[in-house]
Amino acid sequence: MSITPTLKAAARSAYRDVWRASSVTFRGDDTVLQAFRQKMRLDAVEAVREDKGPEQYEQLTKLYHEIAVVLRKNIVQGTRVGESDGKDVYRVNIRKETELGDNDTIKSPPPVDTSSRSARKREKLDAALPHSDSTSPPRPLNYSALKRAHKQRKIPELREEDLEESFVRGSGPGGQSINKTENNVQLLHKPTGIRVSCQETRSLSLNRARARKIILGKLDKLANPGLSKEEMKAAKQRERERRRRKKAKKRAELKASEDEDSD
């Protein structure tokens, strides 16, 4: 039995629910957030490839909504902010959706023993991993390092079976070639829920190719934050402006020194 459009829409809604819940729960910790979203994408792609039946689809949809509830109510982020009297001090992000228990051990948890060997290993691991802090944003890479990372990034694969394509009548200027032909391409990437629309040309085949290029760029930006093609173009422009300012400053200093010598 095939999956109905209503069931597909419910699954996409559940996926977006978990996506939004993860944004709130893991805010300020980009490493955990990107790892969680990558696992979401892999699970969604695997579910589509397995061609599950309607009952399994409903179970997965229900499970995703339950995961979203757990993320909002039962998971909080703790960040180590320092030490006090030889004990680690953590800042816990309690939100209005967080479900607080009535147990005294939850409200006033006992101090964590940091004298054990495993605790010391955890401290070393935490010190080695990059952490994101809202008060001190991470230092951006220079353009050369960014360029190397861009070349080494893993470009996502765009599979035709993951796409849902439809064609609608065009709108706007262009005459009958636009307004009376279905050359507006609507493309949906089912695993991520990304939707794009393309009506850049009068040719349907060109619009189809460009819609896929647009959606691939969005997937690249999603899978490689800060390293996608569009972001590299912006970084290249910033690097040009930085070099221009540096040259202008150097010329101004040289002119000032020449003026002093002439005096």
Side-chain angles (χ1 to χ4, degrees):
M1 185 175 178
S2 61
I3 308 300
T4 63
T6 303
L7 199 53
K8 289 182 179 179
R12 289 195 294 269
S13 175
Y15 186 93
R16 288 193 292 267
D17 192 19
V18 178
W19 189 274
R20 289 191 290 264
S22 66
S23 300
V24 176
T25 302
F26 303 122
R27 182 178 298 159
D29 195 338
D30 292 336
T31 304
V32 176
L33 178 61
Q34 294 301 328
F36 181 85
R37 287 182 170 177
Q38 180 68 16
K39 183 67 169 62
M40 281 182 61
R41 288 190 287 268
L42 293 176
D43 289 347
V45 171
E46 190 66 27
V48 172
R49 289 178 183 173
E50 289 178 1
D51 195 17
K52 298 182 181 296
E55 293 183 359
Q56 293 175 309
Y57 229 75
E58 288 181 0
Q59 291 176 359
L60 281 175
T61 302
K62 183 180 178 182
L63 176 62
Y64 264 59
H65 281 303
E66 290 174 354
I67 291 173
V69 172
V70 171
L71 284 173
R72 290 190 175 98
K73 291 186 175 182
N74 304 113
I75 297 181
V76 295
Q77 286 285 91
T79 307
R80 185 176 180 272
V81 295
E83 292 185 3
S84 177
D85 298 331
K87 298 177 182 179
D88 292 336
V89 178
Y90 286 84
R91 183 178 65 241
V92 181
N93 182 21
I94 302 293
R95 304 175 302 278
K96 62 180 182 180
E97 301 94 349
T98 305
E99 188 176 54
L100 298 177
D102 295 331
N103 194 326
D104 290 337
T105 58
I106 296 176
K107 294 181 179 180
S108 303
V112 180
D113 183 17
T114 58
S115 60
S116 64
R117 184 178 179 182
S118 60
R120 290 195 296 271
K121 282 185 176 180
R122 283 196 300 271
E123 284 186 1
K124 289 182 179 179
L125 183 61
D126 289 340
L129 289 174
H131 293 282
S132 176
D133 192 355
S134 58
T135 57
S136 57
R139 183 181 178 184
L141 296 173
N142 59 56
Y143 182 69
S144 299
L146 202 62
K147 195 173 180 180
R148 286 194 298 269
H150 170 72
K151 290 181 179 179
Q152 295 171 0
R153 82 191 192 285
K154 186 177 180 181
I155 301 175
E157 180 185 2
L158 187 62
R159 301 164 58 91
E160 285 295 324
E161 53 265 31
D162 294 340
L163 298 177
E164 185 176 303
E165 190 175 31
S166 59
F167 310 104
V168 299
R169 186 168 296 180
S171 61
Q176 293 184 358
S177 298
I178 295 294
N179 300 320
K180 291 192 176 182
T181 57
E182 294 184 349
N183 60 354
N184 188 327
V185 180
Q186 306 281 332
L187 207 57
L188 170 68
H189 189 249
K190 292 182 283 188
T192 60
I194 296 175
R195 186 185 298 272
V196 299
S197 173
C198 182
Q199 186 193 321
E200 295 181 2
T201 70
R202 297 182 180 184
S203 169
L204 179 62
S205 58
L206 283 178
N207 287 339
R208 293 184 68 194
R210 292 189 182 186
R212 281 159 174 77
K213 188 175 181 181
I214 293 170
I215 210 165
L216 184 59
K218 290 181 178 293
L219 291 175
D220 186 16
K221 190 174 182 180
L222 195 64
N224 304 290
L227 298 175
S228 65
K229 271 190 174 182
E230 289 186 3
E231 290 166 320
M232 282 302 298
K233 287 181 181 178
K236 188 175 183 180
Q237 183 62 29
R238 289 195 299 268
E239 177 66 12
R240 286 177 178 173
E241 292 177 357
R242 186 191 68 82
R243 291 182 179 180
R244 179 181 57 79
R245 290 194 300 267
K246 185 177 179 181
K247 288 180 179 179
K249 184 179 178 181
K250 191 173 182 180
R251 285 196 299 267
E253 290 176 352
L254 183 61
K255 186 177 180 181
S257 62
E258 289 177 353
D259 292 341
E260 288 179 0
D261 293 339
S262 62
D263 293 341

